[in-house]
Every structure is written in C-alpha cells, then in structure tokens.
Amino acid sequence: MGCRQIWIIVLFLCVFQFLDCTVSSAVEETGTVSVYGRAAVGTIDEDFICATLDWWPPEKCDYGTCSWDHASILNLDLNNTILQNAIKAFAPLKIRIGGTLQDIVIYETPDQKQPCLPFTKNSSILFGYTQGCLPMRRWDELNAFFRKTGARVIFGLNALSGRSIKPNGEAIGAWDYTNAESFIRFTAQINHTIDGWELGNELCGSGVGARVAANQYAIDTINLRNIVNRVYKNVSPMPLVIGPGGFFEADWFTEYLKKAENSLNATTRHIYDLGPGVDEHLIEKILNPSYLDQEAITFRSVKNIIKKSSTKAVAWVGESGGAYNSGRNLVSNAFVYSFWYLDQLGMASLYDTKTYCRQSLIGGNYGLLNTTNFTPNPDYYSALIWRQLMGRKALFTTFSGTKKIRSYTHCARQSKGITVLLMNLDNTTTVVAKVELNKTFSLRHTKHMKSYKRETSKLPQDPNGEIQREEYHLTAKDGNLHSQTMLLNGNALQVNSTGDLPPIEPIHINSTEPITIAPYSIVFVHMRSVVVPACA
C-alpha cells in the first residue's frame, strides 16, 4: 500500500474521530446510551414527516427581508425537477397547505359569485392583505402535481368566512361554510384526493390577529365533520377532520376537545418556541439543552388533555418553524437548525405525536428547500434520513454523561433492530458512547420531571467481531454552523446537474466499537442486530 493510500485512510479516521489528529489535546468524554426496549412509549404515523406550503405572496417581508419569492401555492413552479424529486423521496411526504392568509381565501368554485382576485398588500387591515382567491385551474394543477409526486395533502380551510372581527381581535358569529362546502364537493367530484381538511389557522386561544371562542370553534368543527360525512359518504377511507391549527392554551383546548366530541380525527398545534427570527440569540437557544427541554412540558400537557378527554383525536404538530416571522437567514436554513429540528422530531415522537409538519417545505428562511433554486437545505436531509431510518415506535432513551448529548431511539424502519439518534451540542468535546439495553423500567412523576430506575444488559456480542452497524455522521461544511451544506460521513450532500438527490449511504462499523460523536455533529446509528421486544 502506497503512502497516498495510507494518508487517505488516516484522514478518513480523523474525520470520524477514530484517531486523535488534532495538534492541541482533544477533549474526550465517555457516556452511555440506555434504551428501554420492552415497550414503545410513543407511536408515530407512517407518514410522520410533514411539510407545509403557504399562501404568502412575494411582497411578504419581515424585518426588512423579503424571503418568500415565488414559494406560494399560487405561484410555485410545480415543474421544477428538484422540487418533484424532493417530495418523491419521502414516499410519501405529507403536505399541509395553510398559513395566516388561508382564513381570508375564497375558492373559485362554479357557484362562487365574487371575482377571483389575488392578495393585495394593505397594512391597514387584518393580516396586512386583502382577500385572495384560489382559482380552480390552479387547484387542478396542484392536484396533478400531488399525484405525480405521491404527496398526501392536508388542506386548511377559511375559518373566518362569515365572521366579523372586533377591534380587540374577537371573531363574532359562526363560520359560513357555504364556499368551503362547495369547494370540498367540487374537489371530491373531480376525484382530487385530499387526506384531511383542517379548519382555520391560529384562531384558537388568544389567536394571532383574530380569535374564535372554543365553544364556537367546536360547533364549526362539527359542521365540517357533517360536510365531510355528506360529501364522502361512499368514499373509504374518508378524509380526516383536523383542528384547530394554532397555539396551545390548555383551558381552550380542553373545552374545544370536550365540545367537539368525536368530530375530530387529529388536533393540531403550532410551535415557534425559539421566538422571532430577528432574535440574535437563536443559536444560543438551539445549543442549550435546558432551553430545548422546555417544549416537553407542552407536549406532555397536550398528551394528558387528550388522554383525559373523550375525544378519539390524536395529537399533531400542524406547523412548526421554530423562529416565527419567516425564520432567520443562515440560521433556520443552515446546519445548526438540524439540532433543533431533529430534537423536535424525537421529542414529539416520545409524546405520541403522530405527525409533525415543518414550516415550510419551501418559502421564508426556514424552508427545507432553498426558495430561489430549490436545492435542499440541511434540514431537508435530516428529515429524509429520519424518514429512512426511524420506524414508527419510539423507545424511552437516556444518556448518562455530558448534558450536551441529545439522544432518541426508535425501532428501525429497515430492519427488526433499532436506530439511535445522537446529537452533540458541544463545540470542543468528542463523546465516545456505548449502548446498553434496560431490562426493567419504572417512571416516577414529579411536576415537570421523570426519574427512572433500571436494570441493564449489554448488547449481544459477536465473538468473531463480524456484526456491523451502520452509521450516518452529519456535520457542517468547514465546521461552520451557518453553512447551508451538510456533510454525510465527510461528503457534501448535493443534487446533481439533472436534479437528482445524492445517495444516503452509511459507513459500516464493527458492532463491538463504541459510537463516536464529534463536536457539533449528529449521528444516526442503525443497529440491525439489536432486537428488543418492542420492535420484534
């Protein structure tokens, strides 16, 4: 073997921290990933990964930055090859159509008498835009696109129709569903497949711009259920009825679920836990484990309210962009955001959240795809690798060692084994971790915390050292957290000249070796040989 080949091998080992190749002394810590595999603590939908398409026109600007371009469902280039391939890769991707302007949209159905006009900017009125319209020609184009890409569609309806808005934001009156029912009926008659109809956007609780009382919202939801039952009476499966699509307030949600009775299939809430996109401390929040932990309180509250109610509805996150008002350039569309995003996916799964919709598929500074050239941002690849490796069952997982490691485990999608997700939020410390299985497990609840005791066992060992696991190490190009290029096992993930996505390929590591998590890195570990009762 020549010197050149030897140096290539040494460089490879350096990249994955298997050798200490730094000039100064590296910081290294050990830790243990403990996985409870007797039973799942949460179960997600097969199409758990979801992304949104919004209504915002190019004139939508935040903090002096206009980041939406032609990413609206009304003007998005549906013929773009990268866009089509990006959706097809999830097989299927759930897409939620909705956003602030959905509540002031009319639908150009045959019996609609109003002219079909586009949104026009007007800062003096609610939401800053005049009423807009969805032309049925565009609706046909969108549905042809959804069929071609295999997307599953959730459509958000105009819940402010027929209401008057007081100066304090209180919406008065019942939902006028005449136009919406006509639209739903038209959609069904021409055989456009919709997986779910969602009522309203951010009108629950205190609302954003406007709010509807829980009792009235429940009545409106029952009316939507009756419409769906009438229109789809001979269709199976029937589209889901979903709501309220807004921010969680415990008292409001409790009343709503009680009074909506069994009209709901899924209850949706929105998450923007990082604050405004203009915040200069977003990265500090993302890399702070204590800050990330705070959202677990709300996940737990939602789960408990559903459990205590008589509803058959399940929990969804219907929209989540982390930082509101379109995110922040070179943060919410850069490598660092995957720490927040994957942590959210892991946390949501633990609390039995069935679907998680990312704001957005494209548009704003938080799109999975670049708004102008459609190339995938780092979070797109994080979502895709999650989709390929993480199965439906979430297993309770803890990490003993540094607090800067985030750990989640699911039954594997590709085998009867498990997939472990580990994220290192520290910028200097390499963590070397072993995985052990818990034989017994018990939870003791305090106000906001859980404690556990365990009896552990080691992983099955192969005396010949021939069993291998698959590892996917994700890092930022040049170690720059603001980079919009993600490296997989040291190789840049980039589409080719014809718009094809890069292959997602692991490295194979001897199963007897510990897992190495480099500073500021993310590792998915697929362990085919580790079979636990929950995944059998």
Side-chain angles (χ1 to χ4, degrees), residues 37-350:
R38 184 150 299 179
V41 292
T43 305
I44 60 176
D45 284 344
E46 176 68 20
D47 51 358
F48 171 71
I49 297 290
C50 167
T52 66
L53 288 175
D54 214 310
W55 294 90
W56 290 119
E59 296 79 18
K60 160 70 170 170
C61 303
D62 302 279
Y63 319 118
T65 300
C66 307
S67 58
W68 284 86
D69 201 8
H70 285 69
S72 164
I73 67 164
L74 297 174
N75 56 32
L76 182 64
D77 179 7
L78 303 179
N79 294 315
N80 184 276
T81 301
I82 299 175
L83 175 64
Q84 293 182 7
N85 288 342
I87 296 173
K88 289 177 181 177
F90 282 85
L93 179 66
K94 191 177 284 178
I95 294 179
R96 179 251 187 179
I97 296 175
T100 299
L101 300 185
Q102 78 177 58
D103 289 315
I104 55 171
V105 172
I106 61 171
Y107 316 113
E108 190 199 30
T109 54
D111 57 353
Q112 175 55 241
K113 304 304 181 185
Q114 297 184 54
C116 192
L117 301 175
F119 294 108
T120 301
K121 196 167 186 178
N122 185 338
S123 58
S124 66
I125 60 177
L126 181 66
F127 305 137
Y129 288 86
T130 61
Q131 176 180 275
C133 177
L134 174 60
M136 290 302 94
R137 179 179 178 181
R138 178 62 173 179
W139 186 229
D140 290 341
E141 293 171 353
L142 284 162
N143 278 277
F145 171 76
F146 296 143
R147 283 193 298 273
K148 183 175 183 178
T149 57
R152 293 180 177 169
V153 181
I154 308 299
F155 190 93
L157 295 165
N158 54 0
L160 285 182
S161 178
R163 308 188 207 264
S164 59
I165 313 298
K166 286 185 174 182
N168 65 0
E170 182 182 358
I172 304 300
W175 175 45
D176 181 353
Y177 51 77
T178 307
N179 185 222
E181 180 173 8
S182 176
F183 175 57
I184 293 171
R185 194 173 297 280
F186 175 84
T187 299
Q189 287 173 348
I190 56 179
N191 295 317
H192 292 335
T193 301
I194 301 298
D195 285 80
W197 297 100
E198 183 179 31
L199 183 61
N201 181 82
E202 296 178 356
L203 302 175
C204 56
S206 301
V208 177
R211 65 182 185 277
V212 178
N215 180 64
Q216 182 61 57
Y217 218 113
I219 293 170
D220 300 331
T221 302
I222 292 170
N223 284 331
L224 175 57
R225 163 55 66 192
N226 292 336
I227 292 168
V228 170
N229 287 349
R230 288 195 299 270
V231 173
Y232 294 95
K233 61 182 178 181
N234 297 319
V235 176
S236 181
M238 189 175 286
L240 305 175
V241 172
I242 302 165
F247 294 103
F248 177 75
E249 293 182 20
D251 291 343
W252 195 99
F253 268 69
T254 299
E255 181 182 358
Y256 173 65
L257 290 177
K258 178 181 179 181
K259 294 183 176 178
E261 299 171 335
N262 285 322
S263 60
L264 272 181
N265 298 110
T267 182
T268 44
R269 73 179 182 98
H270 294 181
I271 300 176
Y272 286 92
D273 58 321
L274 296 175
V278 73
D279 187 352
E280 296 180 355
H281 302 286
L282 291 178
I283 290 182
E284 293 173 30
K285 294 177 180 178
I286 293 167
L287 299 178
N288 183 344
S290 297
Y291 192 92
L292 295 177
D293 285 340
Q294 293 175 15
E295 192 59 34
I297 298 171
T298 309
F299 275 113
R300 191 176 306 130
S301 295
V302 173
K303 182 179 180 179
N304 289 340
I305 286 173
I306 289 175
K307 185 177 181 180
K308 291 176 182 177
S309 77
S310 60
T311 185
K312 295 179 181 178
V314 297
W316 284 22
V317 172
E319 178 184 317
S320 181
Y324 59 81
N325 290 341
S326 304
R328 185 181 182 90
N329 189 35
L330 299 182
V331 176
S332 52
N333 52 14
F335 176 83
V336 68
Y337 225 53
S338 281
F339 291 120
W340 168 81
Y341 181 37
L342 288 172
D343 195 70
Q344 282 280 300
L345 296 182
M347 187 181 293
S349 303
L350 285 175

Side-chain angles (χ1 to χ4, degrees), residues 450-469:
K450 296 180 179 180
S451 62
Y452 68 95
K453 60 183 180 181
R454 70 179 190 272
E455 180 185 345
T456 62
S457 63
K458 294 182 178 180
L459 297 182
Q461 297 294 314
D462 174 23
N464 298 318
E466 295 177 354
I467 297 178
Q468 293 189 325
R469 63 176 184 261

Side-chain angles (χ1 to χ4, degrees), residues 491-504:
N491 299 309
L493 291 169
Q494 295 175 326
V495 296
N496 64 19
S497 58
T498 59
D500 296 322
L501 296 168
I504 305 298

